[in-house]
Amino acid sequence: MIAEHEAVDVLKSTQVVIEQALRKLGYGDEMIELLKEPMRMMTVRIPIRMDSGETQVFTGFRAQHNDAVGPTKGGVRFHPEVNADEVKALSIWMSLKCGIADLPYGGGKGGIICDPRGMSFRELERLSRGYVRAISQLVGPTKDIPAPDVMTNSQIMAWMLDEYSRIREFDSPGFITGKPLVLGGSRGRETATARGVAIMIHEALRTRGVALHDARVIIQGFGNAGSFLAKFMHEAGASVVGISDVHGALYNEEGLDIEHLLDRRDSFGAVTNLFTSTISNAELLEKPCDVLVPAATQNQITAENAPRIQAGIVVEAANGPTTLEATEILTKRGVLIVPDVLASSGGVIVSYFEWVQNNQGYYWSEAEVDHKLREMMIAGYQQVYELHLSRAVDMRLAAYMTGVRRLAEAVRYRGWV
Ligand code: GLU
C-alpha cells in the first residue's frame, strides 16, 4: 500500500512546481492560490451488488482542476490505492498536459478505490455504471470528459457511455473518450500514449545525437503504454533490453524477445510470472541502458536510487514516476528528462481528436491521427526544450511553465484573479 504521507507528497510536490512555474512567469500569490488545488472535488460512495448477492460500497472521486480554458478532461483509474490527493494531483497534471499540447481543455481526473483484478466482468460493469450515476451532474461533453487510465479500458468506457446516454436520454458519444471504435472511438486511441512516448524518445535521442538503432531501452511497466511502446521500439529497430510488471522484471543486454512477451502477456499486463529468472523492478531501473522509460506508477525514481540510474535519457510514460529530489539529482548528472506532462500526453491528444470527431460526426484515418499526433508532440517537445535552455530551468519546470502559461492567461482574461 502507498502510505498516506507518500500520497500527500504527490500533491505537495506538484504544488511546489506549480508555484515555481507561476512565479517564473511573473504571477503572484492569488494566481498560485487558485491553481494549486482543483476548483472542484467530488467524493462519491457507490453501492454495488456483488455476484455473491452482498452489497459492497465503493469510494470514488472526480477532480476538476480548472475550466478557464474549456471543459475539463482526464481519465478514471480503478486501483486499490487511489486516494483524494492523488486524484487532485493527477487533475493538475492533466491541465499541464492540455496546456503543453494546446488542447481546449482544463484538467480533470477520476478514480475508484477497487481492485478490478479480483472482480467479475458484471461486477465491473455495475461499478462503472454506478460511478457515472454518481457523478452525472458534474460531467458531460461540454463540462468534463472522462477517459481510460490505470486499469480501465474501452469496455469500461462503453458501459460509462451507455449509462450516461440513458440518463440524458440522448446518445452523447462526446461524453467520454477511449471508446471502442464502433461506439465512436478514434482510430489510434488505444496506442496513442505509447506512440507519443515513442515520438518523445526519438526527439530526445536526436537531441543527444544517439541513433535509434544503437539505443538500448528499458521499460518499467507492461500495461497499455509499456507494452505498445515495447512493440513500437522493437519494430523501429531499438533494442528493448528490459521490461517489468507487478511481479518482477526481465533484463537481457542482448535484447528481449518482445513478440513472445506480448503474446504471453495477460489483459492486466502481467507476463514475468511465467519466467523463473527474474529481477526486481527496483533492480531493473539501475541496469545499463540509454533510455529508461518508467511506465508503471508514481515515485519510482527517488533520491535514493537516482545516483545509480545509468540511463542518459529518462522518458516518463507514467504519471509522476520521478520525485523532485530525483529530478534534481538526474539533471545535475546531465540526464535528459522528458517529463510526464509532456511525454505521456499522447493519450489525451488523441482523446481530443476523438471528441472532435464525435462533435463533427466525421471520422479520420489512422494515418491522419498519427500524423497530427506527431506534429503536436514534437511542437510540445520543442517548446519545452527551448524554454529549458533559454530560462536555464530543468525540463520539469520548463514543462510546467509551458503547461500553466495559457491557463493563467485564460484565468486573467476571465477576470478571476
Ligand atoms: N488517462 C490518460 C492520461 O493520464 C488520458 C486522459 C484522456 O485521454 O483524457 O493522460
Side-chain angles (χ1 to χ4, degrees):
M1 289 282 282
I2 293 178
E4 189 64 20
H5 69 273
E6 277 178 273
V8 172
D9 280 350
V10 181
L11 180 60
K12 283 234 175 82
S13 53
T14 305
Q15 291 170 332
V16 166
V17 191
I18 286 281
E19 171 161 2
Q20 286 171 352
L22 286 167
R23 291 220 190 277
K24 285 256 177 213
L25 294 169
Y27 290 100
D29 294 345
E30 292 169 341
M31 188 68 82
I32 292 162
E33 194 51 34
L34 179 67
L35 296 183
K36 73 176 197 197
E37 285 267 342
M39 60 177 192
R40 200 171 291 122
M41 172 69 177
M42 195 177 190
T43 303
V44 294
R45 298 275 286 157
I46 313 160
I48 297 298
R49 182 87 59 202
M50 306 304 278
D51 293 346
S52 65
E54 280 169 38
T55 295
Q56 200 174 318
V57 185
F58 291 86
T59 301
F61 306 100
R62 186 74 194 170
Q64 298 173 345
H65 176 231
N66 195 287
D67 60 3
V69 172
T72 47
K73 178 91 193 80
V76 182
R77 56 176 55 185
F78 284 7
H79 197 279
E81 286 151 17
V82 168
N83 63 75
D85 277 336
E86 179 192 66
V87 173
K88 284 184 184 180
L90 286 158
S91 76
I92 300 175
W93 298 342
M94 286 311 301
S95 278
L96 299 169
K97 290 186 199 191
C98 295
I100 294 172
D102 210 10
L103 310 179
Y105 299 134
K109 198 73 166 205
I112 303 178
I113 305 171
C114 68
D115 192 349
R117 289 165 294 204
M119 293 173 70
S120 75
F121 196 68
R122 287 299 157 218
E123 287 169 346
L124 275 176
E125 174 176 358
R126 290 193 284 269
L127 183 58
S128 306
R129 290 183 184 278
Y131 178 69
V132 170
R133 285 195 300 277
I135 62 164
S136 69
Q137 295 298 319
L138 221 70
V139 290
T142 54
K143 264 179 158 175
D144 181 17
I145 305 136
D149 197 82
V150 174
M151 284 202 275
T152 52
N153 56 23
S154 58
Q155 173 62 77
I156 290 173
M157 299 305 109
W159 288 322
M160 290 186 174
L161 168 73
D162 187 64
E163 192 65 23
Y164 185 81
S165 301
R166 285 187 198 198
I167 295 170
R168 291 280 176 264
E169 296 186 336
F170 55 81
D171 189 37
S172 13
F175 151 66
I176 202 162
T177 59
K179 301 178 291 290
L181 276 185
V182 288
L183 295 184
S186 176
R187 292 191 174 80
R189 174 62 185 86
E190 205 188 356
T191 52
T193 308
R195 280 255 179 253
V197 177
I199 296 163
M200 292 298 93
I201 293 176
H202 280 262
E203 291 306 299
L205 286 170
R206 201 197 312 271
T207 301
R208 281 294 157 92
V210 180
L212 186 69
H213 281 88
D214 299 329
R216 294 162 304 158
V217 183
I218 287 180
I219 303 167
Q220 185 208 24
F222 216 47
N224 171 281
S227 62
F228 281 119
L229 179 66
K231 180 173 181 299
F232 297 151
M233 285 290 102
H234 177 67
E235 284 170 0
S239 177
V240 181
V241 292
I243 64 114
S244 75
D245 59 24
V246 282
H247 305 290
L250 299 169
Y251 181 83
N252 183 343
E253 56 189 17
E254 304 296 320
L256 295 167
D257 184 350
I258 294 301
E259 275 150 37
H260 177 67
L261 294 172
L262 289 169
D263 195 45
R264 303 301 304 277
R265 164 187 185 274
D266 77 12
S267 61
F268 290 106
V271 66
T272 65
N273 48 331
L274 305 174
F275 293 79
T276 45
S277 57
T278 55
I279 57 173
S280 71
N281 265 278
E283 285 169 311
L284 179 71
L285 298 174
E286 298 173 19
K287 289 283 182 193
C289 67
D290 301 292
V291 184
L292 174 61
V293 185
T297 181
Q298 284 102 309
N299 297 340
Q300 297 301 300
I301 307 178
T302 63
E304 196 278 315
N305 62 2
R308 296 189 301 277
I309 300 290
Q310 300 195 45
I313 296 170
V314 172
V315 181
E316 298 178 339
N319 288 309
T322 314
T323 66
L324 294 187
E325 280 172 298
T327 301
E328 205 181 314
I329 294 168
L330 294 176
T331 304
K332 278 204 182 115
R333 291 184 47 217
V335 176
L336 174 58
I337 301 175
V338 185
D340 48 7
V341 289
L342 167 62
S344 73
S345 60
V348 70
I349 291 176
V350 178
S351 274
Y352 165 63
F353 298 160
E354 182 173 331
W355 181 77
V356 168
Q357 292 170 78
N358 294 150
N359 292 343
Q360 291 183 328
Y362 174 74
Y363 289 85
W364 311 349
S365 69
E366 184 150 1
E368 191 168 356
V369 168
D370 281 350
H371 174 73
K372 289 198 161 81
L373 171 65
R374 179 173 302 278
E375 267 184 2
M376 290 172 85
M377 295 276 332
I378 292 177
Y381 180 87
Q382 282 168 350
Q383 272 196 61
V384 171
Y385 190 70
E386 276 159 24
L387 199 68
H388 151 70
L389 295 181
S390 67
R391 300 289 301 266
V393 292
D394 67 44
M395 284 289 280
R396 191 171 316 282
L397 184 50
Y400 271 57
M401 287 168 71
T402 310
V404 83
R405 182 161 39 196
R406 188 194 55 167
L407 174 56
E409 224 177 287
V411 165
R412 263 280 152 81
Y413 271 119
R414 284 183 188 267
W416 293 351
V417 165

